[in-house]
């Protein structure tokens, strides 16, 4: 009933999942900073999340942790699980999972992934997700997770249809107040949940992402920014102070930089103000 990707890139770990199942993000994903990530699905056993993350934290490789956890579960043949640790990846599909069901896991050094799904239209869903993961090498983890989910959805996804999608990812220093949450997004009930998840990810990046492509507030750019802020009701002798006031009002304070103006903040300012 679900397809997911669990992955690591550098110090970041995360999961993206979609399903014809209400609020799938409340059940499937789990991740822990510096430890790994887990997806439990197909008659999901939510206890696997803490169990497997605990085993990974204790130093067990993903394949050993998964084998040990499933061996203790009498319902394992109905389950599907993906696990990625600091240096390993593993996937499990029980023999009683509804067809089509299967998965793939790879550890590629700086990156690793486990992709799995059940009640899918066919193996092409997993194949296209894996292809999308490799095609987006070099992009941030959250973007690669989304690309894999989009590819799986386009390939057919859940054979019963669409309903929910989610993403949960962690990385040291990421997120609001550097809390370590790289992405925490859920689309609980939607006609096109994967597309909606992509929209939410863009907003998340805007609100909680770090400054990028910063330009100094000098010359013509400083004058443009000053005029736009004044038209929006934010005037100050110091353009950086006026910008901070406007950005705080718009909840863009995470993207403020002492070196100038962030590219996406500038785009938002231009889109919402006049000169």
């Amino acid at each position: 009933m679900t397809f997911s990707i669990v992955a690591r890139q550098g110090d970041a770990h995360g999961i993206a999942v979609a399903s014809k199942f209400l609020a799938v993000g409340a059940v499937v994903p789990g991740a822990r900073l510096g430890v790994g990530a887990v997806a439990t699905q197909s008659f999901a056993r939510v206890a696997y999340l803490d169990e497997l993350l605990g085993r990974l934290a204790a130093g067990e490789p993903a394949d050993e942790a998964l084998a040990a956890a499933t061996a203790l579960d009498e319902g394992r043949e109905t389950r599907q699980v993906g696990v990625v640790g600091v240096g390993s990846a593993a996937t499990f599909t029980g023999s009683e999972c509804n067809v089509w069901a299967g998965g793939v896991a790879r550890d590629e050094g700086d990156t690793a992934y486990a992709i799995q799904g059940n009640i899918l239209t066919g193996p092409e869903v997993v194949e296209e997700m894996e292809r999308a993961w490799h095609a987006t090498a070099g992009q941030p983890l959250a973007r690669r997770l989304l690309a894999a989910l989009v590819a799986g959805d386009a390939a057919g996804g859940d054979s019963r249809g669409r309903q929910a999608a989610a993403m949960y990812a962690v990385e040291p220093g990421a997120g609001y107040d550097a809390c370590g949450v790289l992405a925490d997004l859920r689309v609980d009930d939607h006609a096109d949940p994967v597309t909606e998840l992509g929209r939410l990810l863009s907003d998340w990046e805007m609100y909680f992402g770090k400054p990028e492509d910063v330009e100094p507030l000098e010359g013509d750019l400083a004058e443009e920014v000053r005029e736009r802020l004044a038209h929006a009701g934010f005037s100050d002798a110091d353009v950086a102070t006026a910008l901070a006031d406007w950005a705080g009002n718009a909840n863009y304070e995470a993207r403020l930089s002492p070196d100038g103006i962030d590219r996406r903040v500038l785009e938002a300012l231009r889109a919402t103000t006049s000169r």
Side-chain angles (χ1 to χ4, degrees):
M1 61 185 182
T2 305
F3 55 102
S4 66
I5 175 170
V6 185
R8 171 179 53 81
Q9 180 166 286
D11 294 330
H13 293 85
I15 311 98
V17 57
S19 180
K20 179 67 170 65
F21 187 87
L22 181 72
V24 69
V27 176
V28 171
R32 190 181 302 173
L33 273 172
V35 174
V38 179
T40 175
Q41 56 201 51
S42 180
F43 298 96
R45 184 172 184 270
V46 179
Y48 272 152
L49 300 177
D50 283 341
E51 288 177 10
L52 286 164
L53 289 171
R55 287 180 178 276
L56 293 176
E60 291 186 26
D63 56 349
E64 293 180 15
L66 185 53
T70 53
L72 297 172
D73 177 16
E74 292 183 358
R76 61 185 172 274
E77 296 306 332
T78 67
R79 322 276 196 208
Q80 193 169 51
V81 191
V83 188
V84 171
V86 172
S88 55
T91 188
F92 171 82
T93 298
S95 61
E96 297 175 21
C97 287
N98 292 319
V99 296
W100 189 89
V104 61
R106 303 268 191 269
D107 180 5
E108 300 176 327
D110 189 51
T111 65
Y113 60 87
I115 300 170
Q116 48 281 312
N118 60 93
I119 318 184
L120 303 184
T121 55
E124 65 277 1
V125 176
V126 169
E127 292 166 1
E128 288 303 311
M129 292 176 72
E130 186 176 23
R131 185 173 292 113
W133 169 261
H134 287 122
T136 53
Q139 295 186 24
L141 176 64
R143 282 288 155 186
R144 298 186 75 183
L145 294 174
L146 178 64
L149 208 64
V150 168
D153 189 54
D158 190 321
S159 62
R160 301 166 306 160
R162 300 176 173 92
Q163 186 169 12
M167 180 183 296
Y168 186 67
V170 295
E171 182 179 29
Y176 186 79
D177 197 29
C179 65
V181 178
L182 180 63
D184 185 1
L185 299 167
R186 280 174 45 176
V187 180
D188 287 344
D189 190 15
H190 196 281
D192 191 2
V194 174
T195 299
E196 178 65 3
L197 185 68
R199 184 189 71 80
L200 291 175
L201 178 59
S202 292
D203 284 350
W204 177 281
E205 292 169 340
M206 183 63 191
Y207 289 120
F208 305 127
K210 297 177 181 178
E212 54 187 299
D213 301 328
V214 175
E215 293 187 56
L217 279 170
E218 301 171 349
D220 291 343
L221 178 59
E223 187 58 31
E224 176 194 352
V225 170
R226 189 189 310 277
E227 290 179 10
R228 290 184 179 278
L229 291 170
H231 277 94
F234 294 86
S235 299
D236 193 282
D238 178 29
V239 65
T241 300
L243 176 61
D245 291 342
W246 174 84
N249 186 70
N251 293 322
Y252 298 152
E253 59 268 25
R255 284 191 168 271
L256 290 174
S257 169
D259 299 322
I261 185 168
D262 164 88
R263 172 181 57 80
R264 291 187 64 172
V265 170
L266 179 59
E267 290 172 355
L269 180 64
R270 284 171 170 167
T272 57
T273 61
S274 59
R275 298 187 67 176

